[in-house]
Amino acid sequence: MIATENINIDNINFLTERFPHVWEIIKRYRPGEKPEYRFNVVKAKSGALTLTVDQGDKTIYIHSKYDPVQEAERLVAQFKVATKYRQIFFYGAGLGYHIEAFAKRYPDLQFTIYEPHPEIFALYLAHRSLQTLPPKSLKNIHLETGVQESLCFLTDFINFSTGEVLFVPLPSYERIFSRQYQWFTGVFQQLLTGKRVSLITNYTYEKRWVINSLKNFPEVLNTPNIIHEKKQYFAGKPALIVAAGPSLDEEIENIRYIKENGLAYIFSVGSAVNALLARGIYPDAACAYDPSALSIRVFERIIKEKIDSIPLVFGSSLAYDVLENYPGPKLHMLISQDPAAAFYLRTKKNDNPEILYDASTIATVTLQLLYRLGCNPIVFAGQNLAYKEKQLYAGGIKYENVSTYLGEDELKDAYLVEDVCGGEVYTRPNLDRMRKEIEGFIARHPDREYINTTKGGAKINGTEYIPLAEVIAGKFAGRVVEPGWHVGDFAGYDLAYAAEKQKIIEGAIEEFADLLERLERLFRTMDKLIAAKNHAELEKLFVKFDKELKKINRNQFYIAFMKPMKRVELELIAKVIDDIKYEPNAVVKGEKVLETFRKFFTECQQELAVLRPLLLQHIGERLAREEKPAVRV
């Protein structure tokens, strides 16, 4: 246990008030019977305290043994671009010299302290004062006590950061605790990259997800929900996920044999349907979920040739023009990015319908689907998740201005991963994320048999690599595909319930429109009060503004449809809200309110003009026509 009796009482009071969880860790922490490191505080040549660590028979200095204060100032001087950032993340506190030096030179920058060794932070508290740090700038302190706790902290930190973070490791930690440091920086970078990808994805599709789901809603009502209505055809039967990787070319005849003999249900994902069509093979279903307007290119041949015998299993947030033009039978699966389904739909049994989580690849969504349908085994074909001699897609796939081969620029960020046979194959970050996503699902659902037949593909942990010919011989017992499995007209949703929800949303839309008008009048008044520097009236206006915001946040239309459409903008607002809330100068606070919220609510007015007709006419009229339709099973 850490000795707490020597800790400065002012530091205890500071932590108890600001960061009580840190003080609880210090009180409870036990380094173990045989700690890997032993830390000591000694005097440097300059007279200042410094820190050492014993490793075996060696003593290593964490700070300078000559002058730790001067060393810290030299470290700060290296960061000449610190003013470009909004906050600093300190990895390693030591005795805090470098943190104090940064805070002195950049008093307006917020900072977070991450200490991987609680024993070191206890020595900091015992020998130096936290009072030297500007309390308003110190946002958080985290002491590493376990992998899961640190992952949660880092996830929260990155989610609520603006992305403008200066990462400052204490140099000695990089050398002395290299294993810990490498783990941390790897996780930090992975989470940061994931967050950036998520932000880009959300920003790109946040409007399309909402609009697609509203435009697709009548089609959802008119088509079978494959999970709820077709499970009996798939439970316990093998299914094949056919992707468009280059190895698919080697399996065409095997897939043809499977199709002709009905040995497994064949689900094509993405562009693979065109590779199969080019060889005269019609899959049992084509799966699609991409919200992008470009996704219709995958189905251009089917639409042009009016191929009406391939069922389309569509994610409910799929690009709406695909559904408007697709000539064949359709079934749907509800996707987590679909706010219309979440708001309107309930089954006849008063249950919430099953939702599949959105993912970075249709293969992951289809994997979820087949799992929910009860398929076993689930077999991957053409799922390279890597390149085959610079080839990206199987033959038979051609899109204008899209190459099927890896270009020189794309090769720059390619790297090697293990392939299915223990060798190595080149992949890129986007493909590798897809692989890890599939692996994550399999790890959480190990109660099925997962087989990867992709020759030369990246290894997918949780799957067994078996060539497809061997799978046919050893895993497929005979005909399982039932003709006409996809036939059906309506999903069994409770439309009387949906009609009641429609009445709620119609009232909420009018209330929201009125709230926007009131906010704009309030913003105009705020403009005038700021110009007049009228602090007292501004403070009164802030109270009114808070009341209006609370009404907005309770509005059902805003909750169900506007928030999903503005998720990135709201995330950015959440990151600066504390700066606004605690701004002491009323005029400055008013300027920040206008800068942050006026643009946001002006955009909400524009989005309302798009959503109102979709909700009131497109959906409202559909529900009004047929509140209680007959349900065909």
Side-chain angles (χ1 to χ4, degrees):
M1 183 178 292
I2 294 174
T4 58
E5 61 272 11
N6 298 324
I7 293 178
N8 185 314
I9 189 63
D10 290 336
N11 286 339
I12 294 175
N13 292 336
F14 179 84
L15 289 178
T16 302
E17 181 182 346
R18 288 285 309 281
F19 307 107
H21 62 287
V22 175
W23 178 236
E24 287 300 315
I25 290 172
I26 293 293
K27 286 193 298 182
R28 297 195 316 265
Y29 187 78
R30 289 171 172 79
E33 294 182 8
K34 295 182 179 180
E36 187 177 358
Y37 305 105
R38 294 187 182 277
F39 304 101
N40 299 286
V41 175
V42 298
K43 276 196 175 183
K45 298 288 186 183
S46 65
L49 297 177
T50 190
L51 188 63
T52 65
V53 55
D54 293 334
Q55 284 185 305
D57 57 355
K58 290 196 306 182
T59 297
I60 303 170
Y61 281 84
I62 291 175
H63 297 296
S64 170
K65 64 179 177 181
Y66 299 105
D67 191 338
V69 175
Q70 194 175 76
E71 177 190 52
E73 290 172 353
R74 287 196 301 269
L75 176 63
V76 174
Q78 295 174 21
F79 292 87
K80 300 184 185 299
V81 293
T83 52
K84 294 182 179 179
Y85 297 88
R86 292 179 63 89
Q87 57 181 314
I88 306 173
F89 189 99
F90 291 106
Y91 179 84
L95 294 180
Y97 291 113
H98 63 305
I99 301 172
E100 291 175 8
F102 263 99
K104 184 177 179 181
R105 181 169 294 196
Y106 305 107
D108 296 329
L109 287 183
Q110 297 177 342
F111 60 92
T112 291
I113 299 171
Y114 182 100
E115 175 52 62
H117 296 281
E119 308 98 301
I120 289 182
F121 199 74
L123 292 173
Y124 182 2
L125 298 175
H127 293 89
R128 308 200 71 240
S129 175
L130 294 175
Q131 305 297 321
T132 59
L133 304 176
K136 288 185 178 179
S137 299
L138 178 54
K139 297 297 291 182
N140 212 338
I141 301 171
H142 181 77
L143 307 184
E144 187 177 304
T145 57
V147 170
Q148 197 57 45
E149 291 81 359
S150 293
L151 285 174
C152 290
F153 170 76
L154 287 176
T155 300
D156 286 344
F157 173 81
I158 288 170
N159 282 342
F160 286 94
S161 74
T162 61
E164 300 166 324
V165 181
L166 177 62
F167 180 71
V168 179
L170 192 58
S172 56
Y173 279 50
E174 297 180 59
R175 300 189 308 271
I176 302 169
F177 316 117
S178 59
R179 178 173 46 82
Q180 250 179 315
Y181 177 76
Q182 288 169 8
W183 173 83
F184 176 88
T185 53
V187 169
F188 191 86
Q189 187 59 48
Q190 186 177 342
L191 290 172
L192 194 59
T193 300
K195 182 61 180 177
R196 286 171 182 157
V197 170
S198 175
L199 275 175
I200 292 169
T201 302
N202 286 340
Y203 187 73
T204 303
Y205 297 123
E206 59 184 2
K207 292 180 177 59
R208 292 282 306 187
W209 279 320
V210 177
I211 292 170
N212 287 339
S213 74
L214 294 175
K215 288 203 170 193
N216 292 342
F217 190 70
E219 196 75 59
V220 167
L221 296 181
N222 290 334
T223 57
N225 180 315
I226 185 171
I227 295 175
H228 286 268
E229 299 182 29
K230 304 297 179 180
K231 194 175 290 187
Q232 68 272 22
Y233 293 102
F234 298 96
K237 296 178 181 178
L240 196 65
I241 300 176
V242 179
S247 293
L248 179 58
D249 292 335
E250 301 179 52
E251 305 295 357
I252 289 298
E253 293 311 312
N254 285 323
I255 293 172
R256 190 189 309 279
Y257 182 82
I258 293 169
K259 173 65 179 177
E260 289 175 351
N261 292 278
L263 301 179
Y265 284 94
I266 298 172
F267 286 76
S268 70
V269 294
S271 298
V273 67
N274 290 310
L276 295 177
L277 285 174
R279 276 72 168 221
I281 301 171
Y282 284 25
D284 295 296
C287 295
Y289 82 128
D290 189 349
S292 167
L294 296 175
S295 60
I296 197 168
R297 294 189 302 177
V298 172
F299 302 100
E300 283 174 345
R301 177 177 175 179
I302 291 176
I303 294 168
K304 183 179 178 180
E305 298 180 12
K306 297 181 180 179
I307 298 172
D308 61 3
S309 57
I310 301 175
L312 175 68
V313 179
F314 68 91
S316 52
S317 52
L318 174 69
Y320 62 86
D321 49 345
V322 174
L323 292 187
E324 290 174 352
N325 292 281
Y326 194 82
K330 288 168 275 195
L331 305 93
H332 70 269
M333 48 186 173
L334 300 179
I335 302 294
S336 59
Q337 299 292 5
D338 177 356
F343 182 76
Y344 285 107
L345 295 184
R346 188 175 69 181
T347 69
K348 291 287 187 179
K349 297 177 181 179
N350 294 331
D351 294 327
N352 293 322
E354 290 199 54
I355 304 290
L356 301 181
Y357 288 100
D358 190 61
S360 64
T361 169
I362 182 61
T364 306
V365 174
T366 304
L367 174 60
Q368 292 179 65
L369 171 66
L370 298 185
Y371 181 86
R372 300 283 185 90
L373 290 172
C375 294
N376 196 33
I378 298 173
V379 182
F380 295 94
Q383 194 69 63
N384 287 73
L385 299 168
Y387 298 97
K388 184 179 180 182
E389 297 177 355
K390 298 187 181 181
Q391 187 179 350
L392 177 57
Y393 297 116
I397 299 171
K398 292 181 180 179
Y399 300 122
E400 188 177 353
N401 299 322
V402 177
S403 174
T404 57
Y405 289 87
L406 196 62
E408 292 303 318
D409 288 341
E410 295 167 310
L411 277 170
K412 290 177 183 176
D413 65 347
Y415 51 89
L416 290 168
V417 294
E418 186 179 358
D419 72 12
V420 292
C421 293
E424 291 183 320
V425 63
Y426 276 100
T427 190
R428 293 180 71 215
N430 61 326
L431 294 174
D432 211 23
R433 279 194 299 273
M434 294 175 187
R435 176 180 64 82
K436 291 173 181 176
E437 199 171 71
I438 292 171
E439 290 178 343
F441 181 85
I442 291 172
R444 294 189 298 273
H445 302 86
D447 58 323
R448 301 291 163 81
E449 183 179 10
Y450 302 96
I451 300 171
N452 186 6
T453 68
T454 311
K455 295 176 182 176
K459 177 183 178 182
I460 302 173
N461 289 325
T463 67
E464 181 182 8
Y465 171 66
I466 306 174
L468 187 53
E470 294 180 24
V471 173
I472 292 171
K475 299 290 184 179
F476 295 166
R479 182 173 292 274
V480 298
V481 177
E482 296 188 39
W485 66 267
H486 57 276
V487 175
D489 294 322
F490 298 105
Y493 296 122
D494 184 349
L495 291 201
Y497 171 81
E500 288 299 315
K501 298 288 281 186
Q502 179 65 14
K503 292 175 185 175
I504 293 171
I505 213 67
E506 288 174 1
I509 287 174
E510 298 314 309
E511 180 193 45
F512 186 75
D514 182 56
L515 284 167
L516 289 181
E517 289 180 10
R518 283 154 54 182
L519 278 174
E520 182 50 39
R521 290 196 295 270
L522 187 149
F523 290 143
R524 287 198 293 268
T525 303
M526 195 176 293
D527 261 331
K528 294 174 183 177
L529 294 176
I530 289 170
K533 293 184 169 51
N534 191 331
H535 290 252
E537 291 301 316
L538 277 169
E539 291 293 351
K540 294 178 185 177
L541 198 62
F542 295 147
V543 175
K544 292 180 181 178
F545 178 64
D546 285 341
K547 288 180 179 178
E548 297 299 320
L549 277 186
K550 287 176 182 175
K551 291 175 185 176
I552 289 275
N553 284 319
R554 290 195 298 266
N555 181 271
Q556 286 295 303
F557 164 72
Y558 176 76
I559 293 168
F561 299 103
M562 189 61 72
K563 282 181 74 174
M565 206 169 188
K566 307 294 292 178
R567 64 188 75 190
V568 172
E569 294 86 340
L570 285 167
E571 187 171 336
L572 295 175
I573 287 174
K575 292 169 183 176
V576 299
I577 200 73
D578 281 351
D579 287 344
I580 297 172
K581 185 177 180 180
Y582 297 111
E583 173 55 55
N585 186 302
V587 171
V588 175
K589 184 174 182 177
E591 290 171 343
K592 288 181 177 180
V593 167
L594 288 178
E595 180 185 358
T596 302
F597 289 98
R598 193 174 213 168
K599 180 174 181 286
F600 175 77
F601 285 116
T602 299
E603 291 174 352
C604 284
Q605 186 77 57
Q606 296 164 357
E607 311 298 0
L608 176 60
V610 175
L611 296 181
R612 193 200 297 254
L614 287 173
L615 284 159
L616 298 187
Q617 283 85 49
H618 187 70
I619 289 180
E621 292 176 5
R622 166 64 179 84
L623 292 174
R625 282 198 311 271
E626 196 173 10
E627 289 187 18
K628 297 179 180 180
V631 177
R632 263 183 272 173
V633 179

